[in-house]
Amino acid sequence: MSQTRKRILTGIRPSAALHLGHYAGALETWVRLQDDYECFFLIADYQVSDYADQMDVVREAVFEVALDWLAVGLDPERSHFVIESLVPEHAELTVWLSWFVGLGRLQRNPTLKAEMAELEARAKESVPVAFFTYPIMQVANILMPKAHLVPTGEDQSPHVEMTREVARRFNRMFGEVFVEPEGLIGRVPRLVGLDGKAKMGKSLNNAIFLKEDAETVTQKVMSMFTDPTRIRATDPGHVEGNPVFMYHDAFNPDTAEVQDLKDRYRAGKVGDVEVKQRLVRALNELLEPIRERRAYYQAHPALVREALAAGTGYAKKVAEQTMAEVRAALKLNYLE
Ligand code: ATP
Ligand code: MG
């Protein structure tokens, strides 16, 4: 377990397969950083308390997330794929670290506040306590392998900031145990959903999933929201705030084409259909190799299970080591 490279810890909730928002906000950066960092990619199954009545969905999503990771090029030879609850030390560390997070601090966390309001509206009942405390579990996830860097979408930054505070506080009180991590926001910090309103999210029914076939992608793009003020193709259109153009900016590598479409759109010289068709082409070019790799791993499920078992086994050893340090720092060795 000698550590030569700096570490990354980041993760995803096993609530569904992954979408374009994950790709542009997170996965793309993760793939790139695998050479320079020792990466721990976590499937955070302790953090889906909002799916308690759908554990079969969670179970399937653990596998789906791993498939998507392999499909985009995360490499289990270099990186560790970790199932959170199979390393129960995460739960133990969460308990200790929750001593060092003020209630008011958690209540003011803007991401948590928005997610709880959304969940409450959807579920029409009060949010589980475990949902309220999930950011503390994320703190434990990050501090466990002493990660230096945490690449995520923008919505997770408040949690990374909280992690830094907890690390500082713990180290000041009990000696240098934890590393204070840096956050790193992806190329597209918050990809908007197909509805043009909320961020693209697995649970929000506004996503294009990485595993979807070319026809489904076409259908979804063709029915996307565009500029609501534009009635005819000859009306001058708005590019800013138009989700179709946001996706062009995010996923169409042909910047000259995107610029030409924007110029013509503003001048009322191109229809939504053409703009969308060109987006469809760009998206399908991006997704095709991902679909192919996914199909390969889907046909070889033993490889997926092996990746998860190996990464989780390694993370467990790292966690045992960190917990030994935490227990010593807190002087919990009562009987020695
Ligand atoms: P859920 O709706 O179940 O919470 P989610 O789509 O928000 O799902 P998470 O598992 O919560 O996905 O997030 C995983 C990672 O992907 C995080 O780093 C998050 O910041 C990033 N991410 C998720 N959605 C987007 C998005 N639309 N744009 C950019 N990054 C995103
Ligand atoms: Mg989320």
Side-chain angles (χ1 to χ4, degrees):
M1 207 138 307
S2 70
Q3 195 185 328
T4 51
R5 286 173 298 167
K6 287 189 171 181
R7 285 181 173 159
I8 278 179
L9 179 295
T10 187
I12 289 199
R13 301 187 338 134
S15 50
L18 304 184
H19 53 62
L20 286 173
H22 295 118
Y23 187 78
L27 298 172
E28 202 186 58
T29 321
W30 303 3
V31 170
R32 179 168 55 80
L33 292 172
Q34 288 182 106
D35 287 329
D36 299 328
Y37 289 82
E38 182 184 15
C39 296
F40 293 76
F41 299 126
L42 189 78
I43 301 184
D45 66 331
Y46 273 135
Q47 295 171 48
V48 287
S49 56
D50 46 330
Y51 284 78
D53 57 347
Q54 303 172 64
M55 289 309 283
D56 48 338
V57 171
V58 171
R59 194 181 159 82
E60 197 181 310
V62 168
F63 199 74
E64 291 279 302
V65 167
L67 271 178
D68 283 326
W69 284 356
L70 292 162
V72 298
L74 296 184
D75 175 9
E77 297 287 320
R78 283 179 291 169
S79 302
H80 315 297
F81 291 12
V82 185
I83 299 177
E84 184 183 36
S85 73
L86 297 186
V87 184
E89 283 80 359
H90 287 125
E92 186 189 359
L93 186 58
T94 303
V95 172
W96 294 124
L97 296 184
S98 66
W99 288 24
F100 308 104
V101 179
L103 189 59
R105 184 73 182 78
L106 203 53
Q107 282 165 335
R108 283 191 302 275
N109 181 313
T111 295
L112 183 62
K113 254 163 98 168
E115 287 173 341
M116 293 210 337
E118 200 252 313
L119 182 58
E120 224 151 26
R122 190 153 35 97
K124 298 197 176 62
E125 57 182 55
S126 77
V127 171
V129 170
F131 195 92
F132 176 62
T133 56
Y134 94 80
I136 310 179
M137 190 148 235
Q138 251 187 54
V139 170
N141 297 149
I142 296 165
L143 295 185
M144 187 71 91
K146 305 184 182 182
H148 301 84
L149 193 69
V150 188
T152 67
E154 188 179 57
D155 60 320
Q156 301 300 302
S157 319
H159 307 345
V160 178
E161 194 46 47
M162 188 181 282
T163 307
R164 293 166 56 83
E165 287 167 20
V166 172
R168 275 201 297 272
R169 189 156 179 213
F170 188 99
N171 287 350
R172 211 180 321 115
M173 291 173 74
F174 303 102
E176 287 289 316
V177 173
F178 294 121
V179 168
E180 196 180 318
E182 302 284 337
L184 178 69
I185 306 291
R187 181 172 62 83
V188 179
R190 183 185 294 259
L191 186 74
V192 71
L194 292 169
D195 52 8
K197 293 186 199 122
K199 87 165 178 74
M200 186 177 282
K202 301 187 211 101
S203 322
L204 301 175
N205 201 16
N206 64 358
I208 292 179
F209 291 91
L210 300 178
K211 66 173 184 178
E212 280 174 333
D213 61 24
E215 261 166 61
T216 310
V217 171
T218 308
Q219 273 169 18
K220 286 191 172 179
V221 170
M222 294 318 283
S223 56
M224 265 178 86
F225 284 74
T226 57
D227 176 1
T229 65
R230 194 173 190 239
I231 297 157
R232 286 170 296 270
T234 49
D235 295 344
H238 294 92
V239 165
E240 283 70 32
N242 183 330
V244 178
F245 280 101
M246 291 183 200
Y247 287 17
H248 266 294
D249 282 333
F251 300 109
N252 189 345
D254 186 346
T255 50
E257 175 178 271
V258 175
Q259 192 54 51
D260 171 61
L261 287 173
K262 285 181 180 174
D263 292 344
R264 287 198 286 139
Y265 200 80
R266 288 194 181 100
K269 295 210 164 97
V270 63
D272 282 322
V273 172
E274 183 185 339
V275 181
K276 286 178 171 178
Q277 278 166 343
R278 288 179 192 263
L279 176 60
V280 164
R281 201 199 50 218
L283 288 179
N284 281 328
E285 271 171 26
L286 170 75
L287 293 175
E288 196 43 42
I290 296 177
R291 291 182 193 122
E292 274 171 30
R293 277 195 298 270
R294 201 178 199 279
Y296 172 80
Y297 284 106
Q298 204 149 19
H300 298 84
L303 293 178
V304 185
R305 276 194 295 274
E306 275 164 32
L308 288 166
T312 303
Y314 183 89
K316 170 102 176 118
K317 293 211 175 69
V318 171
E320 283 166 3
Q321 211 166 45
T322 300
M323 286 316 297
E325 291 173 45
V326 170
R327 288 191 204 104
L330 292 172
K331 301 197 168 50
L332 303 173
N333 45 350
Y334 309 110
L335 301 182
E336 280 167 23

